[in-house]
Amino acid sequence: MSDTDESRYRVLHNDEEQYSLWRADRELPAGWHAEGTEGTRQECLDHIGRVWTDIRPLSLRRQPAEAGAGA
């Protein structure tokens, strides 16, 4: 990938609330959904950096809350 990449990208997320970057002109991969943000590669990476503050999968983030609920 070059520094002069002018392609459009979109931000995707999956059911585990993990994020990914995908070329806007390509079909979405199975299990991933368009998050709504589109732009340059760097714009999308910057957005992901702002919104994906806890990189643990959703199922792992839920474990401590569920374990503590029964106590």
Side-chain angles (χ1 to χ4, degrees):
M1 195 146 316
S2 72
D3 290 340
T4 59
D5 183 7
E6 294 181 17
S7 300
R8 299 292 292 173
Y9 290 85
R10 66 175 59 156
V11 176
L12 308 182
H13 65 94
N14 63 18
D15 292 337
E16 286 284 343
E17 295 182 357
Q18 297 168 309
Y19 286 80
S20 184
L21 187 64
W22 199 253
R23 291 270 305 261
D25 61 347
R26 297 199 177 150
E27 187 174 328
L28 298 182
W32 291 86
H33 316 281
E35 178 262 6
T37 301
E38 237 182 78
T40 65
R41 182 176 189 275
Q42 191 60 54
E43 288 169 339
C44 290
L45 288 172
D46 291 344
H47 175 74
I48 290 171
R50 284 190 303 274
V51 300
W52 196 14
T53 57
D54 188 342
I55 64 169
R56 295 175 299 162
L58 180 61
S59 56
L60 183 62
R61 292 193 319 258
R62 284 182 174 163
Q63 284 179 358
E66 290 173 357

